């Protein structure tokens, strides 16, 4: 459960400044929806990878003595005494690359669809102050239901950056070779899953919303907003959106 609450904590800290995407797949989805400019995508991705790398450095420093005692200083990637899996994900023995890729597409699509749902003002949105908590709950639910195969990375930054750290911290480049060169699956799979989840939500939910509704005597009346409403309305805080 700690991973879900960690996402919640990060979202509460960063939501008011950046939208607290914390995940390149989420940032990519926001660009697809036109809620963030494409020029900002590289900035967000670099920041997310840097944050994940520094997180790995912090964990390594915090638990260095424990890691050294457990492994006797032998940083191994596979086997019964392996410790590389503390930092990045690796596939279970039964998992093939195609199945693992599908795992990441489906899990990330589910994550994005749920995020879009709880932040959709025309659906059944959660109160803004509660959204970071619910995002963490969603991440935890994805992990509990879809974590068996490979530990539910669902975030390219959270997987690739710590993997790169382990490569230079003593585990070596075996971290990129293990699992039949598994490393690229948690990078590309979530990005594809972001497209699938976003497209599914837009096609099956979002485009069916009326642009504006008025409830009068139990009747829903549609009334279109002025075309320039986005220009005149003040920007609103959104957990997974940015005003840029």
């Amino acid at each position: 459960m700690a991973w879900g609450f960690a996402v919640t904590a990060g979202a509460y800290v960063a939501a008011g400044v950046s939208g607290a995407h914390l995940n390149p797949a989420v940032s990519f989805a926001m660009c697809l929806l036109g809620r963030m400019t494409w020029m900002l995508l590289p900035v967000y991705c670099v920041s997310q990878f840097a944050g994940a790398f520094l997180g790995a450095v912090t964990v390594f420093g915090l638990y260095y003595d424990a890691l050294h005692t457990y492994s006797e200083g032998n940083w191994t990637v596979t086997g019964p005494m392996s410790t590389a899996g503390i930092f990045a994900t690796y596939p279970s023995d039964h998992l093939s690359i195609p199945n693992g890729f599908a795992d990441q597409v489906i899990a990330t699509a589910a994550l994005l669809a749920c995020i879009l749902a709880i932040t959709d003002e025309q659906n059944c949105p959660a109160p803004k102050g509660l959204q970071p908590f619910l995002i963490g709950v969603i991440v935890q639910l994805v992990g509990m239901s879809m974590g068996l195969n490979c530990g539910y990375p669902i975030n390219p930054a959270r997987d690739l950056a710590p993997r790169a750290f382990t490569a230079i911290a003593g585990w070596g480049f075996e971290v990129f070779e293990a699992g039949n060169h598994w490393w690229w699956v948690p990078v590309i799979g979530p990005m594809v899953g972001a497209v699938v989840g976003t497209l599914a939500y837009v096609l099956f939910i979002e485009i069916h919303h009326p642009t504006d509704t008025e409830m009068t005597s139990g009747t829903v009346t549609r009334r279109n907003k002025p075309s320039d409403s986005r220009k005149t309305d003040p920007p609103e805080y959104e957990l997974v959106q940015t005003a840029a």
Side-chain angles (χ1 to χ4, degrees):
M1 294 183 67
W3 186 257
F5 282 117
V7 173
T8 291
Y12 272 120
V13 169
V17 176
S18 65
H21 298 179
L22 309 177
N23 186 338
V26 175
S27 299
F28 185 51
M30 294 303 106
C31 290
L32 292 174
L33 291 168
R35 300 176 186 176
M36 187 175 84
T37 62
W38 288 99
M39 290 181 62
L40 279 178
L41 182 60
V43 177
Y44 270 61
C45 290
V46 169
S47 300
Q48 290 154 0
F49 276 89
F53 189 91
L54 290 175
V57 173
T58 302
V59 170
F60 182 73
L62 183 63
Y63 292 104
Y64 178 81
D65 287 346
L67 288 168
H68 194 276
T69 299
Y70 175 76
S71 65
E72 297 181 349
N74 297 314
W75 309 132
T76 55
V77 178
T78 58
M81 301 294 287
S82 63
T83 49
I86 294 172
F87 298 89
T89 64
Y90 294 87
S92 298
D93 293 337
H94 68 268
L95 191 66
S96 66
I97 292 295
N99 194 176
F101 189 84
D103 174 284
Q104 285 306 284
V105 171
I106 294 170
T108 310
L111 172 69
L112 261 298
C114 291
I115 289 175
L116 293 176
I118 68 171
T119 58
D120 186 350
E121 293 294 338
Q122 291 184 291
N123 193 346
C124 186
K128 288 181 169 54
L130 191 60
Q131 288 176 5
F133 174 75
L134 293 178
I135 297 290
V137 171
I138 292 167
V139 170
Q140 187 61 38
L141 289 176
V142 169
M144 293 174 69
S145 60
M146 305 183 196
L148 174 65
N149 283 332
C150 55
Y152 74 105
I154 61 174
N155 183 335
R158 156 265 188 278
D159 196 85
L160 183 58
R163 191 182 303 273
F165 168 75
T166 55
I168 63 178
W171 282 264
F173 283 91
E174 186 184 351
V175 299
F176 292 103
E177 299 169 355
N180 196 21
H181 298 275
W182 164 261
W183 70 270
W184 66 270
V185 176
V187 178
I188 305 300
M191 302 303 283
V192 176
V195 176
V196 173
T198 300
L199 184 62
Y201 188 82
V202 170
L203 289 179
F204 295 110
I205 304 296
E206 189 171 286
I207 65 173
H208 301 288
H209 293 326
T211 54
D212 197 6
T213 60
E214 292 179 346
M215 300 298 295
T216 306
S217 300
T219 302
V220 178
T221 303
R222 294 191 179 191
R223 177 169 58 84
N224 292 329
K225 290 184 178 181
S227 59
D228 62 344
S229 60
R230 289 191 177 182
K231 297 179 182 179
T232 57
D233 291 343
E236 295 182 356
Y237 161 77
E238 290 290 351
L239 176 63
V240 294
Q241 299 181 20
T242 176

